[in-house]
Amino acid sequence: MPVIRVSLVGFGFAGRVFHAPLISATPGLSLSVIGTTQADSAASAYPDARIVPDRLAAVRHPDTDLVVIATPNDSHAPLADAALRAGKHVVVDKPFTVTVAEASALVATASEAGRIVSVFQNRRWDSDYLGIAREIAMGRIGEVVEFRSEIGRYRPVVRDRWRERAGPGSGLWYDIGPHLVDQALMLFGPPETVHADLRITREGGTATDWFQVRLGYGPKRAVLGSSLTATEPPPRFIVRGTTGTITKRGGDSQEDQLVRGEAPGAPGWGHDPDPLVLVSEGSGAPIEIAAPPGNYLAYYSSLRDAIADEGEAPVTPVQATMVMEIIEAGIRSSSGSGPGIDLQHGVTT
């Protein structure tokens, strides 16, 4: 298989900590170009890559086949569009876009160009989610009645960065929301209803820093939440079914491993020492179940195979667009701006 040459556009936290190490650790991919103004740090970390300060020049670079976009959210759609029109395959860090209209336009452009467009929903390969999905599929708790998924962090002081300032695509619903929505969609499909409460809770805040969103599936509910004022991390998952409950308190370790500079795929990669806890009908004492290891490398290896026409993209255009439909539906619900019927999938707020 020919080596796929990659242009990584953006060398901030997402590009530097997540994408660059994962691309470099994936056989068949070569990090050839880095589009960034942080030339010294990028060149020091990846001396074989060409550093290109201009984003558009980086996405259109003639010596690359795949463009990975890890820039601020409001730049995702225009940069991805430019890359597709230059004949490149494209990966966009979540969120895919800021609006459904942008998402639909990118999918149409990719189809016309005959190129893959995908979004980096890496938390499909979190150890905690993989464990919960496995146990649900095995029917350990019968039919799911209530699914609770929450990521809480304690960051009481508003930081001066684009993610925490008012603007298109900023705030926690665009940051953590796409992960939680995507996982729920993978487990249960598109919901029938969306009820959302998006709030600003911190002094001086101008972007959403707390949310609770309820997805309705007939009698079943998926409750998604996140907060930046969680002094004690909440359980990552609580799933209640007709015959039992599964709880997963701790989260995946891969982000911490990447921050520490550990090599993806090294011994111990993705290991999760925190078990799932099952309490089933008539079982008495709780039962601990080992979580499977997380594996973010699976995203890029699947993408490599899809580019070689040996499988489907790890996150398809339909899946990427559906997440954005729920994000928009949540914004409409929280603002009270009408019923917000989604004509494509019947989602209502």
Side-chain angles (χ1 to χ4, degrees):
M1 182 185 301
V3 171
I4 297 166
R5 302 164 299 174
V6 182
S7 176
L8 171 61
V9 185
F11 202 67
F13 183 80
R16 174 178 49 83
V17 174
F18 282 87
H19 292 283
L22 293 169
I23 292 165
S24 299
T26 302
L29 300 185
S30 171
L31 184 53
S32 301
V33 171
I34 300 176
T36 181
T37 55
Q38 301 179 47
D40 291 344
S41 62
S44 175
Y46 299 95
D48 294 334
R50 180 173 298 180
I51 310 302
V52 178
D54 182 80
R55 290 177 179 173
L56 281 176
V59 301
R60 295 168 174 159
H61 200 283
D63 296 335
T64 58
D65 313 292
L66 167 66
V67 173
V68 176
I69 297 169
T71 55
N73 296 346
D74 60 356
S75 67
H76 287 184
L79 289 176
D81 180 77
L84 290 167
R85 294 183 186 280
K88 316 297 185 182
H89 301 287
V90 174
V91 167
V92 185
D93 195 76
K94 59 78 200 167
F96 185 35
T97 55
V98 173
T99 67
V100 174
E102 289 177 339
S104 298
L106 281 185
V107 171
T109 301
S111 178
E112 293 168 4
R115 291 294 181 267
I116 290 170
V117 63
S118 183
V119 60
F120 185 62
Q121 291 288 5
N122 58 300
R123 289 193 179 275
R124 290 188 188 183
W125 292 273
D126 274 357
S127 58
D128 45 57
Y129 169 74
L130 291 172
I132 288 292
R134 179 190 66 193
E135 300 306 311
I136 290 174
M138 291 175 62
R140 290 276 198 140
I141 57 172
E143 293 295 319
V144 174
V145 175
E146 179 184 5
F147 173 84
R148 289 186 172 270
S149 171
E150 186 171 359
I151 293 178
R153 295 166 176 165
Y154 186 58
R155 295 174 181 169
V157 178
V158 178
R159 291 183 286 181
D160 185 20
R161 57 178 194 155
W162 66 264
R163 294 181 189 277
E164 299 185 49
R165 292 194 296 265
S170 67
L172 206 57
W173 182 227
Y174 275 99
D175 187 17
I176 300 299
H179 287 309
L180 305 190
V181 168
D182 181 70
Q183 290 177 341
L185 291 176
M186 291 299 293
L187 289 171
F188 309 121
E192 299 162 5
T193 58
V194 177
H195 294 91
D197 186 6
L198 314 179
R199 297 172 55 199
I200 299 172
T201 62
R202 297 177 299 170
E203 183 179 355
T206 58
T208 298
D209 57 17
W210 182 97
F211 68 78
Q212 187 173 89
V213 177
R214 188 171 74 251
L215 309 182
Y217 297 88
K220 176 169 57 199
R221 296 291 182 267
V223 182
L224 316 177
S226 187
S227 171
L228 292 180
T229 55
T231 54
E232 181 179 357
R236 179 64 186 87
F237 290 103
I238 301 175
V239 189
R240 299 183 173 100
T242 53
T243 62
T245 298
I246 297 175
T247 302
K248 180 69 171 70
R249 178 158 289 279
D252 184 87
S253 65
Q254 293 175 90
E255 179 173 342
D256 289 341
Q257 290 180 303
L258 287 166
V259 168
R260 291 194 299 266
E262 296 181 25
W269 181 261
H271 172 67
D272 185 348
D274 178 69
L276 291 81
V277 178
L278 168 67
V279 178
S280 59
E281 187 178 51
S283 66
I287 300 170
E288 292 189 350
I289 304 169
N295 183 21
Y296 291 165
L297 286 169
Y299 177 87
Y300 274 111
S301 61
S302 295
L303 181 73
R304 173 201 62 205
D305 295 345
I307 291 173
D309 203 22
E310 295 180 358
E312 191 174 48
V315 180
T316 68
V318 169
Q319 293 167 344
T321 303
M322 194 180 301
V323 169
M324 296 314 305
E325 289 168 358
I326 304 301
I327 295 296
E328 277 200 358
I331 294 170
R332 291 194 299 270
S333 172
S334 185
S335 66
S337 58
I341 298 173
D342 180 334
L343 299 179
Q344 285 186 286
H345 296 289
V347 175
T348 60
T349 59

